[in-house]
Amino acid sequence: MVMDYKKQRARYVAGTEGAPPVPPPGGYRNARRPSSSTVVQQPAVPGALATAAAEPEAKKPANALGWIALITGILFAVILLVTLAAGGTDVLYGVTMLALQLVVVAVIVGALFTGRGRTLGAVALAITLVVNVATVGGLGALQTSASGSYDGMKSDEQKHEEAYPGIKGTDSQDVLAQQSLEQVQAEAETLFADIRSRLTAEYGFEWVQVGDEDFRPERNGYGGESMLVEYTSASWATTQPVHDYSLKLDVMSTIDDVIAEHGMSYLYSFNGESSGLDPTMIAKLYGSDDPREQHTWEYYAENYPDPIRFYANIYDLSNDPTGDFRTAREAQNARTGEPLEGLQLTVLASALLSDADRAEFEKKLQEYPGFE
């Protein structure tokens, strides 16, 4: 029996030099056979070796719809910008341009719903969001408003009205009959000189000129500019404050006497009870409804039917418990250089015609029978 085993063993291991020894009969003691759950079986792939990871798919190029959306968006943006540069503000808001934008949006949305066209569609969408009828049209409107050129869709009649030399609602004959721009300037200078002389003699005031004359073209009410201007004089201000209530009354009384000599109305107080304003509104505008506690006195006179409007204001920082009025005056001082407080005189006049423009004004009026 032993011999048989040895023979079998010798026959089993013949030609296996270097191989591990075979297990004894019955196997090794306490040996365990692997269960089927622990055995990992590799799938058989005929003619190929298994790889650790699959190769990535090749990226596919964008489809035609994506390119169409991108090109369409760029062309539409170029069209809008060229139209803006040409001054076609009215064209931007036309039916044709709005319909074209809808077509462009439809093409872009179609590209966004395709896998291979989504990227180019997103780029086209970004371009359209930046350059579209609304944004470019808004820029065109601002440009047109700044330049005053609204010629796009206007009729010849509208363009004719825009060139009206007068002001709608203002009788041009009254304009011709009233003081001219040059006469108002001369009258303002004389009026200021007389007031300064009297107040200096009576109260010892010293003066400083504030700002320069301003000439602003008047709109004619038909979409254009008239030949008339609004005139604001340079102001004159005292270099010392006026705080005492009695002194304020005396100063205004003296001014009243001087302007009466120039044929103007008596001074009218905006900050007093006679203004007709509600006391709450007076307090809001002037710091209090009691003139003794107000930080601003504002008086007014005119020489109707001539165009001069005269203003005499007193600013008093001693009646500023919160400091808010001082802050406002400091800001004004930074802009114009005027004193923080004291008396200030100004003349304003509207719808003035220069003597140099009178002949041309009368000639142009002949082209507008019935206009006012």
Side-chain angles (χ1 to χ4, degrees):
M1 185 72 174
V2 174
M3 294 299 296
D4 290 343
Y5 169 74
K6 289 182 178 180
K7 290 180 181 180
Q8 291 176 0
R9 187 172 183 276
R11 189 169 54 247
Y12 179 81
V13 298
T16 60
E17 292 79 0
V22 295
Y28 295 107
R29 185 178 181 181
N30 297 327
R32 298 179 59 186
R33 297 178 62 84
S35 64
S36 60
S37 62
T38 62
V39 176
V40 178
Q41 298 185 1
Q42 298 292 338
V45 181
L49 296 175
T51 58
E55 294 183 1
E57 292 186 13
K59 190 174 181 179
K60 297 180 180 180
N63 60 12
L65 185 57
W67 285 106
I68 292 174
L70 179 60
I71 294 172
T72 303
I74 294 174
L75 288 177
F76 184 65
V78 171
I79 291 172
L80 290 176
L81 293 175
V82 170
T83 304
L84 173 63
T89 304
D90 297 319
V91 176
L92 291 173
Y93 290 107
V95 177
T96 301
M97 196 65 72
L98 293 174
L100 182 58
Q101 177 166 285
L102 291 177
V103 173
V104 172
V105 171
V107 173
I108 292 174
V109 171
L112 291 174
F113 279 97
T114 63
R116 290 192 296 159
R118 187 171 295 116
T119 301
L120 294 181
V123 175
L125 179 62
I127 294 173
T128 306
L129 289 175
V130 175
V131 185
N132 54 62
V133 169
T135 57
V136 177
L139 290 174
L142 289 174
Q143 182 185 40
T144 302
S145 177
S147 63
S149 56
Y150 295 88
D151 292 337
M153 302 293 292
K154 291 181 178 178
S155 65
D156 292 340
E157 181 180 358
Q158 289 174 314
K159 294 177 182 179
H160 177 68
E161 290 178 347
E162 286 182 352
Y164 178 58
I167 299 176
K168 185 177 182 180
T170 300
D171 192 331
S172 297
Q173 296 306 313
D174 290 341
V175 172
L176 292 169
Q178 71 180 8
Q179 292 173 309
S180 67
L181 171 61
E182 290 78 8
Q183 288 173 326
V184 168
Q185 288 177 283
E187 176 63 22
E189 290 181 7
T190 303
L191 178 64
F192 288 149
D194 290 347
I195 294 175
R196 295 198 311 272
S197 177
R198 283 281 300 275
L199 293 181
T200 298
E202 294 183 18
Y203 309 105
F205 288 159
E206 295 180 357
W207 301 84
V208 60
Q209 186 171 341
V210 178
D212 299 311
E213 293 179 312
D214 181 67
F215 307 89
R216 182 175 302 177
E218 299 265 26
R219 304 295 295 180
N220 63 8
Y222 294 100
E225 288 185 356
S226 70
M227 295 180 65
L228 311 179
V229 298
E230 180 183 75
Y231 168 73
T232 304
S233 71
S235 299
W236 285 93
T238 60
T239 57
Q240 59 264 66
V242 183
H243 292 166
D244 184 75
Y245 175 70
S246 297
L247 177 59
K248 292 178 183 178
L249 293 176
D250 292 341
V251 167
M252 291 301 181
S253 177
T254 301
I255 294 175
D256 231 351
D257 292 340
V258 177
I259 64 174
E261 295 171 1
H262 285 257
M264 303 189 70
S265 65
Y266 288 109
L267 286 173
Y268 170 83
S269 171
F270 286 120
N271 56 286
E273 293 181 359
S274 60
S275 66
L277 294 175
D278 184 89
T280 303
M281 181 58 66
I282 293 177
K284 182 177 180 180
L285 293 174
Y286 305 106
S288 172
D289 59 355
D290 183 355
R292 290 177 173 80
E293 301 175 357
Q294 291 172 339
H295 55 60
T296 301
W297 278 24
E298 185 176 15
Y299 280 65
Y300 164 87
E302 60 183 23
N303 66 342
Y304 184 84
D306 283 314
I308 290 180
R309 302 195 296 275
F310 170 79
Y311 293 87
N313 295 347
I314 295 178
Y315 303 113
D316 183 356
L317 295 182
S318 69
N319 288 332
D320 178 31
T322 65
D324 292 340
F325 183 64
R326 172 178 286 275
T327 300
R329 291 300 300 164
E330 288 175 347
Q332 183 68 15
N333 171 265
R335 287 193 297 269
T336 65
E338 65 189 67
L340 293 179
E341 56 182 344
L343 173 65
Q344 187 166 311
L345 312 174
T346 307
V347 159
L348 178 70
S350 302
L352 298 179
L353 179 66
S354 171
D355 289 330
D357 296 331
R358 186 180 183 92
E360 183 181 358
F361 181 79
E362 292 179 309
K363 181 179 179 181
K364 281 190 173 183
L365 282 179
Q366 297 175 7
E367 303 174 16
Y368 297 88
F371 275 63
E372 288 188 359

